[in-house]
Amino acid sequence: MSTTITETRESELLASVPDGLFIGGQWRAAAGDKTLKVYDPSNGEVVKEIANASPEDGKAALDAAVEAFPAWAATPARERAEILRRAFDLLQERKEDFALLMTIEMGKPLAEARGEVAYGGEFLRWFSEETARVQGRYGANPEGTGRMIVSQHPVGPCFLITPWNFPLAMATRKIAPALAAGCTVVIKPAELTPLTTLFFAKLLEDAGLPKGVVNVFTTSTSGAVSEPIIRDPRLRKLSFTGSTQVGQRLLEQASQGVLRTSMELGGNAPFVVFDDADLDKAVDGAMLAKFRNIGQACTAANRFIVHRSVADEFARRVTERVNGFTIGRGTEDGVTIGPLIDDRAVAKASQLVQDAVNRGAKVATGGNEIDGPGTFYEPTVVTDVQPGSDILREEIFGPVLAIIPFDTEDDAVRLANDTEYGLVSYVFTESLARGQRMIERLETGMMGLNMGVVSNAAAPFGGWKMSGLGREGGAEGIHEYLQTKYTLTPNP
Ligand code: NAD
């Protein structure tokens, strides 16, 4: 499909995106008519001005979610499922609009934005199917003195906070299981990419979602508006995707009300290539694991731990592929690398590469910021990264592929696990036994074994260690929004 997009097409789409807060089924201005600007990272231009919520708007959003909760929780599962299914169908009809909107506000190439619409949509379909599968148990207790009933109940009004890197999928991955479980929500998208969530709220309205079940506020003062919501005793659940640092702060706030929490936090994924790997597969996997979303994914491979005997050949092949990338605005034909989200992201990639070089690494390709407009950084390969380099410890969140050689399987495992994070790992080997050993030894919640992407709505997504708490997607995902009750009754 051609990706040539006209300016008229873009301005018509942007005009159709709501600019207000969505509270209790109404679109409204923020208190005091405050606004915030949304930018296109490929050129720094303002694309839209939208409502900028204050704490009183946040409270109004929670009020609406609390009010709507009893009726939504009592709505038959099939009715809730049908609304989610209608939302899935509407998303298919509007997929080109959603993809373009994400490319405009976030910068990813249009082909990748289409991929995100497909992935994000699957959570609507998956959880529409899970809605009717929430089940309990009934049976005699072991002593024979009574009957036990175990039932599942929606946890209550939820607060969902999402990051900027996957504006649609991070929202559907939380909203769909919450609604499926019978919960109502307040959602706060990242201030850098709020338009997709506003556009999605409109879609939910069109799908027939009752008023107040989903409420959206956008703000440039996330901390000030969010904290009173998290500390409000009527809130029963906080689900956050973002950095570990912010997640830790929110966990402290959530401890006051002993809130249920789900935390999808940072990653520092190892990508291990053994000497018995199929290098073609490993290079294909590396391109996906590293450069998808311009490296701005929590699942992005951060450290390429490659057996010394194949490290040069692997570096040569990935460098060749990287040199074939086309950099530009994501709407342009053939573009494979878009801008980073902002100046800070460019500065971070740049500093990490500089630090690695200062400690002895070599730049095989790239390594430079690209002059504006827009916040671009060259796709980069660095080899011979030395222990102690910042790039091995910190999330890069940019298009930088860093290679560190290893000698033995034990060394590879030690290097891979040498991080406070534990979200995902990637392992390339043609040996089944070695692959099985890696499943047992690597400390991550997910693993791609000869695969460079693992995300799937039907699978439990989540991390070990400081990468988070809880799981999104799969059969597990809905349980994050359910609470269990056990009742003892006499024998009949
Ligand atoms: P971030 O932590 O800066 O922001 C995430 C969200 O939290 C945004 O909506 C932001 O506005 C909000 N926020 C920031 N400070 C807040 C506060 N004091 N109170 C309430 N909300 C606040 O992260 P980011 O830069 O938007 O996203 C990148 C990070 O997200 C990376 O660390 C990445 O690994 C992580 N991430 C994790 C997953 C996962 O599933 N594990 C998925 C995507 C991104």
Side-chain angles (χ1 to χ4, degrees):
M1 188 183 309
S2 166
T3 54
T4 307
I5 304 288
T6 62
E7 273 182 36
T8 319
R9 162 93 173 98
E10 288 191 28
S11 52
E12 281 174 4
L13 171 61
L14 286 164
S16 71
V17 176
D19 57 7
L21 310 175
F22 186 56
I23 298 178
Q26 307 292 322
W27 291 99
R28 55 194 239 191
D33 283 331
K34 284 202 300 175
T35 58
L36 70 89
K37 294 188 174 82
V38 183
Y39 299 88
D40 176 340
S42 74
N43 55 26
E45 288 171 13
V46 175
V47 294
K48 199 168 173 88
E49 203 161 333
I50 60 167
N52 188 355
S54 301
E56 59 190 288
D57 298 310
K59 180 175 176 301
L62 180 61
D63 290 346
V66 169
E67 197 185 322
F69 175 66
W72 182 247
T75 300
R78 283 262 184 256
E79 278 181 43
R80 296 200 307 265
E82 276 160 20
I83 291 173
L84 285 171
R85 178 66 207 208
R86 272 204 297 279
F88 171 78
D89 292 338
L90 280 178
L91 185 61
Q92 308 316 305
E93 284 171 24
R94 301 179 192 177
K95 63 184 179 200
E96 285 302 311
D97 285 351
F98 273 91
L100 179 56
L101 188 59
M102 283 196 281
T103 295
I104 293 171
E105 69 171 342
M106 186 272 163
K108 67 185 74 190
L110 206 41
E112 291 193 26
R114 291 190 180 108
E116 182 176 345
V117 177
Y119 171 57
E122 283 307 319
F123 291 97
L124 299 169
R125 176 151 67 174
W126 174 262
F127 285 109
S128 79
E129 292 160 350
E130 287 293 279
T131 308
R133 316 249 180 277
V134 175
Q135 285 162 354
R137 309 201 293 272
Y138 174 82
N141 66 7
E143 298 74 24
T145 56
R147 294 289 193 267
M148 304 191 297
I149 301 170
V150 179
S151 49
Q152 300 292 332
H153 308 264
V155 71
C158 304
F159 185 27
L160 317 177
I161 301 179
T162 53
W164 50 264
N165 59 346
F166 292 100
L168 179 69
M170 297 302 100
T172 56
R173 203 161 83 173
K174 295 186 191 303
I175 291 174
L179 301 194
C183 295
T184 56
V185 310
V186 174
I187 178 164
K188 188 206 83 62
E191 56 271 40
L192 294 170
T193 59
L195 302 181
T196 303
T197 304
L198 294 171
F199 203 46
F200 185 64
K202 188 171 151 201
L203 180 150
L204 289 174
E205 205 183 3
D206 295 344
L209 191 70
K211 293 181 192 323
V213 174
V214 170
N215 306 278
V216 185
F217 74 83
T218 48
T219 183
S220 61
T221 52
S222 294
V225 186
S226 300
E227 187 167 351
I229 298 176
I230 297 169
R231 293 191 187 278
D232 191 308
R234 298 173 300 166
L235 185 75
R236 291 316 316 144
K237 161 101 196 181
L238 170 66
S239 178
F240 171 76
T241 297
S243 61
T244 296
Q245 203 183 13
V246 173
Q248 287 170 317
R249 190 174 325 152
L250 299 183
L251 277 172
E252 276 173 28
Q253 294 170 14
S255 71
Q256 184 176 320
V258 194
L259 280 188
R260 289 278 297 274
T261 53
S262 300
M263 295 277 145
E264 296 288 352
L265 308 177
N268 180 2
F271 187 108
V272 184
V273 182
F274 285 102
D275 50 355
D276 59 10
D278 177 329
L279 271 199
D280 290 333
K281 280 189 212 160
V283 170
D284 285 346
M287 291 300 113
L288 286 171
K290 180 71 252 181
F291 294 102
R292 198 171 58 99
N293 225 37
I294 319 136
Q296 303 167 113
C298 54
T299 51
N302 217 52
R303 298 166 294 149
F304 286 77
I305 299 167
V306 184
H307 193 269
R308 203 175 296 279
S309 67
V310 292
D312 286 348
E313 178 61 10
F314 179 78
R316 191 188 64 72
R317 292 208 211 173
V318 291
T319 301
E320 197 176 285
R321 294 280 286 271
V322 167
N323 287 337
F325 284 151
T326 304
I327 305 168
R329 188 169 192 250
T331 50
E332 287 159 18
D333 263 332
V335 162
T336 43
I337 293 283
L340 293 183
I341 190 70
D342 59 13
D343 291 338
R344 283 190 314 162
V346 175
K348 182 167 187 194
S350 193
Q351 280 157 17
L352 288 174
V353 169
Q354 201 50 56
D355 172 79
V357 169
N358 291 346
R359 294 172 194 264
K362 300 186 194 90
V363 176
T365 188
N368 299 300
E369 299 181 17
I370 299 173
D371 287 342
T375 41
F376 290 89
Y377 188 81
E378 286 177 352
T380 298
V381 176
V382 285
T383 63
D384 301 293
V385 174
Q386 300 300 309
S389 301
D390 292 346
I391 209 164
L392 301 179
R393 209 180 55 244
E394 291 182 30
E395 247 186 322
I396 305 169
F397 244 60
V400 179
L401 191 159
I403 300 175
I404 173 166
F406 74 89
D407 293 302
T408 67
E409 187 175 305
D410 282 347
D411 286 346
V413 170
R414 187 179 45 73
L415 284 167
N417 287 338
D418 185 17
T419 168
E420 64 204 12
Y421 295 110
L423 189 60
V424 61
S425 49
Y426 304 93
V427 172
F428 284 76
T429 172
E430 291 296 295
S431 156
L432 175 61
R434 177 170 264 160
Q436 289 170 318
R437 286 198 294 277
M438 291 305 112
I439 294 173
E440 294 183 12
R441 296 182 75 187
L442 295 190
E443 299 164 351
T444 59
M446 301 178 284
M447 182 185 288
L449 188 50
N450 294 321
M451 300 288 282
V453 180
V454 297
S455 305
N456 190 300
F461 188 105
W464 289 7
K465 295 156 80 176
M466 286 177 76
S467 288
L469 300 168
R471 291 295 180 272
E472 293 188 320
E476 289 83 352
I478 197 167
H479 290 283
E480 300 281 323
Y481 297 91
L482 291 168
Q483 52 192 348
T484 302
K485 179 177 281 178
Y486 148 65
T487 308
L488 184 63
T489 64
N491 287 326

